[in-house]
Amino acid sequence: KHTPFEEYAQLKLQGKAPKQLRWERLKDRFESHQKCVEELTEIVRRQADVRVVSREDLGPQHMEGIDLVIPVGGDGTVLSTSHFVDRFADGDDPILLGVNSDPTKPHERKSGTSDERRSFGALCYASANDMRDVLPLALRGDLNFDVQRRSRLAVTVRGTFSETRLPPALNDVLLAHPSPAAVSRFRLEKRQRRSDNGSPGGGESGYYFERDERKEKNDNKIPASSSSSS
């Protein structure tokens, strides 16, 4: 993903950046994220082919033929990446394994304070703190017991002269008028569609790694995440 530091740096060159910015903190977030991406790439390259794609450039064309997708950032990056995970002609779905690149620091946990601009990482299986242990296990298939299928919302917006299929949503879908003050009118229909195996039909589901905290207490192979996503 592009961090706020990179975005504001471009605005600063144009003379459009807000004046009340904490540049040192933004730079620290940027450096933490870049370090995580570089280290993660090296870890994965030891066991598999790897391709790095920015969040802004990511599209469905990058998913076909891929076994494992690792969104690096936070929950927003995981959600954004999940929009492009679909069932392909060969019947295989890529697996998502989110890595929180900038988790809460140890001194923040001890003091009971945390920076609200850090991602909580609720959808991230690993973080920059434990990815060196988790990723090799995932690449060897030793974490397959933690892979879970997630149902998603498939939304089609039908207008008078057009029809638009939105990307599948993992958490929610917002329907609103372009003007916040205007009244919105909708006609909603709920349809149930399932495949032969009882799971949601193609395009409405995806796989991702999810920790089972109860299991971790009895399984020393999987280190606990310190945070609780190109």
Side-chain angles (χ1 to χ4, degrees):
K1 68 173 184 179
H2 287 168
T3 63
F5 177 80
E6 295 172 280
E7 296 174 2
Y8 284 127
Q10 292 296 322
L11 292 176
K12 186 177 181 181
L13 293 175
Q14 303 170 20
K16 299 179 181 180
K19 295 181 179 180
Q20 303 300 322
L21 284 177
R22 299 181 181 180
W23 287 102
E24 289 302 317
R25 181 162 61 179
L26 291 175
K27 185 177 181 181
D28 175 68
R29 301 291 184 272
F30 166 73
E31 292 176 346
S32 296
H33 177 74
Q34 289 299 107
K35 180 180 178 181
C36 180
V37 172
E38 292 171 2
E39 291 186 3
L40 183 147
T41 302
E42 289 302 316
I43 293 171
V44 176
R45 186 171 284 134
R46 296 169 192 161
Q47 296 181 243
D49 295 330
V50 59
R51 178 172 54 176
V52 179
V53 181
S54 70
R55 172 177 170 176
E56 291 72 20
D57 296 332
L58 186 65
Q61 69 275 15
H62 297 109
M63 295 293 181
E64 193 160 4
I66 300 299
D67 299 314
L68 178 64
V69 181
I70 307 177
V72 184
D75 292 330
T77 307
V78 174
L79 289 172
S80 177
T81 304
S82 72
H83 294 164
F84 303 107
V85 176
D86 212 332
R87 180 169 297 166
F88 298 104
D90 56 9
D92 291 333
D93 304 330
I95 298 174
L96 287 185
L97 193 160
V99 174
N100 187 353
S101 62
D102 188 25
T104 302
K105 299 294 189 289
H107 70 274
E108 293 173 335
R109 291 200 302 273
K110 292 179 181 178
S111 64
T113 62
S114 61
D115 190 329
E116 69 279 3
R117 273 160 286 206
R118 294 185 191 274
S119 176
F120 182 69
L123 298 177
C124 296
Y125 186 88
S127 75
N129 297 330
D130 62 8
M131 65 179 183
R132 300 166 192 81
D133 299 312
V134 173
L135 291 177
L137 295 175
L139 292 169
R140 292 198 304 265
D142 292 343
L143 296 183
N144 285 345
F145 60 84
D146 265 356
V147 177
Q148 297 187 8
R149 178 179 286 273
R150 301 286 295 194
S151 296
R152 295 184 293 171
L153 296 172
V155 179
T156 301
V157 180
R158 294 188 177 93
T160 304
F161 302 106
S162 64
E163 180 175 300
T164 304
R165 183 177 184 270
L166 302 179
L170 186 60
N171 56 344
D172 55 37
V173 175
L174 172 64
L175 303 177
H177 194 281
S179 173
V183 176
S184 300
R185 294 181 174 86
F186 305 99
R187 183 176 65 187
L188 303 179
E189 297 180 2
K190 180 181 178 181
R191 299 181 180 180
Q192 192 77 9
R193 182 178 65 176
R194 293 186 175 277
S195 58
D196 294 338
N197 61 5
S199 61
E204 297 175 330
S205 63
Y207 289 105
Y208 87 125
F209 280 105
E210 181 177 88
R211 284 189 185 279
D212 186 338
E213 299 295 340
R214 294 170 299 177
K215 184 180 298 181
E216 287 183 358
K217 294 180 181 179
N218 300 315
D219 190 347
N220 296 326
K221 293 195 302 180
I222 306 176
S225 172
S226 62
S227 61
S228 346
S229 261
S230 298

